[in-house]
Amino acid sequence: MAEVAVKKTAKPRRGRPPKAARGTQDTRAELIRSGLEQLTENGFASSGIDQILKKVGVPKGSFYYYFPSKEAFGQAVIENYATYFAYNLDKHLLDDSNPPLARIGQFVESAKAGMDKYAFKRGCLVGNLGQEVDLLPDSFRQQLIDIFLDWQHRLSICLEAAKAQGEIAKNANCELLAEQFWVGWEGAVSRAKLVQSTQPLQNYLEFFIAGLTR
């Protein structure tokens, strides 16, 4: 998973410095990875810091050495997830060795493999947090909106390529179609997690593609 760059700050960090020999950035990255697991499976409100720290082997008093608050920690986890997801999207949607609509299918196959790998315990972090946004710090709302807009734009580029190659209608509104895809996608991911099957993802892909080619 892609890691989030650590910005240096002039403010002194709270908490005890780590006793372990590993580097500060390595430990910070491990905390983010552990947080990603917890937040993806359980959501933000239900994820306690204690379990995240225990998995990484960091004393509770040292948490604030790496993050000024749980809110800042959550922001870092979201950013890390968004960076990874954007990379995965580009890997498939910008693959010009395949027709544009086939690239969308490649992305879905990747998502299916990911859900199966983690036994359907994890869904989409951004979608999950969006469902509990009223319980989250206010700063999360715009962060999540911006991520969805970024995904929407990346998909719209692929759809514009499909339009140029005659796969979809010349008058198709690609930005709107991309928005509709992500709205429906989050529902399909939730259903897949519920029924513990990738079939809802496949069903949604077929429904979306069928609508494009009418």
Side-chain angles (χ1 to χ4, degrees), residues 148 152 176-189 204:
F148 274 126
Q152 179 179 320
L176 181 58
L177 288 172
E179 179 183 6
Q180 291 174 339
F181 176 87
W182 291 115
V183 170
W185 176 255
E186 293 302 332
V189 170
Y204 179 67

Side-chain angles (χ1 to χ4, degrees), residues 39 42-46 71 75 78 124-148:
L39 268 64
N42 304 313
F44 185 82
S46 301
E71 178 177 355
Q75 291 171 338
I78 294 170
C124 172
L125 175 64
V126 175
N128 290 349
L129 294 180
Q131 292 179 21
E132 58 174 334
V133 67
D134 289 338
L135 303 176
L136 304 179
D138 289 341
S139 63
F140 284 20
R141 184 183 296 271
Q142 191 59 53
Q143 187 177 14
L144 295 172
I145 290 172
D146 290 343
I147 291 169
F148 274 126

Side-chain angles (χ1 to χ4, degrees), residues 153-169:
H153 179 65
R154 291 172 192 272
L155 180 57
S156 72
I157 292 173
C158 183
L159 292 172
E160 287 289 354
K163 182 194 293 188
Q165 296 183 25
E167 288 190 299
I168 62 177

